[in-house]
Amino acid sequence: MACSAVRSPILRNSSVRHYALAATAQASLPSPDVQVLGNKITVAAVDSNSPVTQVSIVFKAGSRNETYDTQGMSHLLRIAAGLTTSRSTTFGITRNIQQMGANITASADRETIAYTVQVLRDKVNQALPFLEDVATRQVFKPWEISDSSPRLRYEISTVPEECRIVELLHKAAYRTGLGFSLYSPKRQIGEISTETLQHYVSTWFSGSRCAVVGTGISATELSDFASKLHVSSNDCKTEAAKYYGGDARKERNSPIASVAVAFESAGLEKGNEAIAFAILKAAAGSGPCVKWGNGASPLIKAITSATGNEPVAATAFNASYADSGLFGCILQTTPEVAGQATKAAFKWLRTANISDTDVARGKAALKAAVLGATECGETQLENLSQQVLLRGKVLSPLELAAEVDKVSAADVKNAAKKLSSARPTVAAIGNIKTVPYSDQL
């Protein structure tokens, strides 16, 4: 089994994926068939002609639903995918999936946990029972959970600094809820019991918080599978996100300083405003588009002009969740100029002088990312599940591109103006001797 904590839905943190050549092909794909079953599970299927079927069981049970005492729960659940269930052993799941040439993965973000199977279309009926076992029939035997501790410790130790700065930024911004990390704290290794895991699953893995999505499979077949899933009937509500802002710093002996500056933006519930921030992110710049090139976007120019000849890497940052979001900048540079770079990034974000030309460029880049994502089956499936669970409706890539076109330059500029009065959040890791605190900016 494989697990991943890296998820990049289109409107949360878009990135250009090669070339947007799939736009014409996408026009011929059927529209998703969405329905809500009697057990409250939402089903969405796209019956394409792909020889590979992908099916995901997704729950709104990400790390934002943890508490202080249960931090690391979603990380441990990702690792526990594929362990012994009520009707299959670890060996049985692994061996049968291998024999089918299939693949089962567990992935998560702050709001959702997804269990996905990829299998040839003619073997989907053999693979779906094992996906059901992995996602809904866990038993969490104590010795198996205990044996997972070395893997948990290894994954925590190998988290790259680019991910750590994002986790630190969320901790400073939200403290709890969305502030809880995708990765387990070291103090929690070996501290989460099987009873705690089972309670978390029975609480948050419920029908009203579940979606079953698939590509390369008929809606009838997927609905029949979803209607037989054993899920909880609980109807728990996620606590609303509360933005605080402030500072989070971690000092290390390092030749570089990593800094993130952000403000509260819009959640996915505010559709047009969330898209406006996604356009603003593309307009602000995500680093050079040409290998070994220098970024020519407004944000990059502002930072590099303040650091002189010192090396600096910077990118705009945008993360939209169901009811909140973060917009800002992440940069890495030498300790001597980290403070200057941070102040330059903060000043640009506060003023955000975006022209109509910048907005047009940002819209083009975002649409290229949306349409280019259709080249990747995994991304297409993930976007389908995120829209079903977090937005309550599903738009095709072409419809999403049309929504981007509807956002005017004035909408993007108004979104940028909101940053001028918002409370900042600053996170820093490394040699941060020159990095200012948020109240010093």
Side-chain angles (χ1 to χ4, degrees), residues 180-436:
F180 289 139
S181 176
L182 297 174
Y183 303 96
S184 173
K186 289 183 179 179
R187 63 177 174 79
Q188 288 289 84
I189 297 177
E191 296 298 320
I192 298 178
S193 66
T194 58
E195 291 81 6
T196 305
L197 282 165
Q198 199 66 61
H199 180 266
Y200 187 88
V201 167
S202 63
T203 301
W204 299 108
F205 282 34
S206 62
S208 60
R209 303 177 65 87
C210 176
V212 178
V213 299
T215 59
I217 187 172
S218 69
T220 302
E221 190 174 1
L222 195 61
S223 296
D224 182 61
F225 166 68
S227 65
K228 299 174 183 177
L229 292 179
H230 295 273
V231 293
S232 168
S233 59
N234 291 338
D235 194 15
C236 296
K237 301 296 183 183
T238 299
E239 185 177 347
K242 184 177 181 180
Y243 177 85
Y244 294 92
D247 297 271
R249 299 163 73 94
K250 186 169 291 186
E251 298 177 356
R252 290 178 173 175
N253 291 325
S254 174
I256 62 172
S258 301
V259 184
V261 181
F263 306 86
E264 186 178 24
S265 59
L268 294 175
E269 61 184 8
K270 301 178 180 178
N272 284 344
E273 191 175 353
I275 295 176
F277 274 106
I279 295 171
L280 181 61
K281 185 254 184 182
S286 304
C289 294
V290 178
K291 189 175 182 179
W292 310 120
N294 292 321
S297 61
L299 176 60
I300 307 301
K301 284 182 177 179
I303 295 174
T304 54
S305 63
T307 56
N309 294 325
E310 290 292 329
V312 59
T315 180
F317 172 80
N318 179 56
S320 292
Y321 302 100
D323 55 351
S324 184
L326 289 176
F327 182 89
C329 169
I330 300 175
L331 62 91
Q332 288 185 317
T333 186
T334 56
E336 288 70 23
V337 299
Q340 301 171 36
T342 303
K343 291 177 181 178
F346 177 82
K347 181 179 179 181
W348 188 91
L349 292 169
R350 278 294 201 199
T351 56
N353 186 16
I354 293 290
S355 66
D356 290 350
T357 302
D358 292 328
V359 173
R361 175 173 49 80
K363 292 173 73 171
L366 182 58
K367 287 191 294 182
V370 169
L371 297 174
T374 62
E375 297 177 352
C376 178
E378 292 84 352
T379 304
Q380 185 181 10
L381 183 73
E382 184 178 330
N383 289 329
L384 182 63
S385 64
Q386 295 290 316
Q387 289 191 67
V388 168
L389 277 181
L390 303 182
R391 302 188 72 197
K393 60 180 181 180
V394 178
L395 298 178
S396 70
L398 288 179
E399 291 172 326
L400 279 174
E403 291 294 313
V404 174
D405 281 328
K406 292 179 183 178
V407 178
S408 66
D411 294 332
V412 179
K413 292 177 181 179
N414 288 334
K417 287 180 181 178
K418 289 189 175 182
L419 304 179
S420 63
S421 57
R423 183 178 180 182
T425 299
V426 178
I429 299 177
N431 187 336
I432 54 177
K433 58 184 179 182
T434 64
V435 177

Side-chain angles (χ1 to χ4, degrees), residues 57-281:
I57 300 177
V58 192
F59 298 96
K60 283 197 288 187
S63 60
R64 71 174 296 177
N65 299 295
E66 298 170 358
T67 65
Y68 181 85
D69 293 323
T70 61
Q71 288 181 76
M73 186 73 69
S74 60
H75 191 176
L76 189 55
L77 283 174
R78 294 196 302 272
I79 288 178
L83 296 182
T84 299
T85 69
S86 60
R87 65 180 185 184
S88 299
T89 65
T90 302
F91 177 80
I93 295 171
T94 304
R95 183 62 172 170
N96 281 281
I97 289 297
Q98 286 178 338
Q99 287 296 102
M100 285 182 275
N103 187 32
I104 288 182
T105 59
S107 57
D109 58 21
R110 283 182 158 75
E111 297 196 281
T112 62
I113 296 177
Y115 300 90
T116 304
V117 64
Q118 296 172 308
V119 63
L120 292 177
R121 193 162 186 148
D122 61 346
K123 291 184 172 60
V124 65
N125 289 330
Q126 302 172 45
L128 287 180
F130 294 103
L131 175 65
E132 178 186 357
D133 284 356
V134 168
T136 66
R137 294 179 178 269
Q138 307 96 327
V139 293
F140 305 119
K141 293 187 176 181
W143 53 91
E144 290 187 335
I145 298 301
S146 177
D147 289 344
S148 298
S149 293
R151 178 180 173 184
L152 187 63
R153 193 182 305 276
Y154 171 77
E155 289 192 1
I156 295 171
S157 67
T158 56
V159 177
E161 196 154 287
E162 294 81 2
C163 292
R164 292 184 186 277
I165 192 69
V166 173
E167 299 302 303
L168 205 60
L169 181 69
H170 282 80
K171 187 65 176 178
Y174 295 105
R175 300 180 186 174
T176 59
L178 289 173
F180 289 139
S181 176
L182 297 174
Y183 303 96
S184 173
K186 289 183 179 179
R187 63 177 174 79
Q188 288 289 84
I189 297 177
E191 296 298 320
I192 298 178
S193 66
T194 58
E195 291 81 6
T196 305
L197 282 165
Q198 199 66 61
H199 180 266
Y200 187 88
V201 167
S202 63
T203 301
W204 299 108
F205 282 34
S206 62
S208 60
R209 303 177 65 87
C210 176
V212 178
V213 299
T215 59
I217 187 172
S218 69
T220 302
E221 190 174 1
L222 195 61
S223 296
D224 182 61
F225 166 68
S227 65
K228 299 174 183 177
L229 292 179
H230 295 273
V231 293
S232 168
S233 59
N234 291 338
D235 194 15
C236 296
K237 301 296 183 183
T238 299
E239 185 177 347
K242 184 177 181 180
Y243 177 85
Y244 294 92
D247 297 271
R249 299 163 73 94
K250 186 169 291 186
E251 298 177 356
R252 290 178 173 175
N253 291 325
S254 174
I256 62 172
S258 301
V259 184
V261 181
F263 306 86
E264 186 178 24
S265 59
L268 294 175
E269 61 184 8
K270 301 178 180 178
N272 284 344
E273 191 175 353
I275 295 176
F277 274 106
I279 295 171
L280 181 61
K281 185 254 184 182

